[in-house]
Amino acid sequence: MTVAPQIAGPSTSSGGPAPSLTPTEMNVLERAANGSTYASIARDLGYTEKSVSKMVVRLARKLGANNITHAVFLAVRAGILDPARRHGDHAGFAAHRYRGEEPCEACWEGERAYRRERRAARKAQQSTAA
């Protein structure tokens, strides 16, 4: 017997109200959608990692999600996050390049930050391996 998967979360297409997220929750959700870790989100926004974790639990609950990945999926499906709007980060930079465009300054800055973060992570990994 095959069981159909259940769809959780709010649906704005069915006439239900879209959940109301605070600007900080939206910022955390967008950063998580762009691949940021709780630690980097906390550092960038000036919170502790535990505070970010609690925010994620709240916003996931508002969206009817089980975890942050599920929350991002539901937010895209509900129209809260626009998957085509990748701007000012590594993915936005890559999207410009993929379309054959010269990346905008915000995307260049996002790419530089991404490269700095990756370089620091590699150095930290090398120093712990040695």
Side-chain angles (χ1 to χ4, degrees), residues 15-127:
S20 175
L21 299 178
T22 67
T24 303
E25 288 171 335
M26 277 300 299
N27 198 347
V28 169
L29 185 62
E30 287 172 350
R31 288 170 183 266
N34 287 327
S36 295
T37 63
Y38 291 179
S40 67
I41 294 170
R43 183 183 62 245
D44 293 346
L45 300 180
Y47 293 106
T48 65
E49 194 172 341
K50 187 171 184 175
S51 295
V52 170
S53 179
K54 287 181 180 183
M55 270 186 255
V56 167
V57 168
R58 275 194 314 272
L59 74 88
R61 190 177 307 133
K62 286 181 179 181
L63 293 169
N66 299 323
N67 54 44
I68 190 62
T69 306
H70 191 208
V72 168
F73 170 77
L74 293 175
V76 168
R77 190 170 60 186
I80 297 168
L81 286 179
D82 181 4
R85 195 186 124 238
R86 298 300 297 252
H87 200 60
D89 62 359
H90 170 67
F93 178 87
H96 279 293
R97 290 294 198 188
Y98 179 77
R99 292 187 302 260
E101 304 168 349
E102 179 62 28
C104 65
E105 187 54 40
C107 288
W108 267 112
E109 189 52 43
E111 179 66 10
R112 288 183 200 106
Y114 171 79
R115 290 178 184 181
R116 281 191 302 269
E117 187 176 307
R118 298 305 313 143
R119 193 172 18 250
R122 280 193 305 274
K123 284 184 180 181
Q125 187 179 23
Q126 289 172 352
S127 67

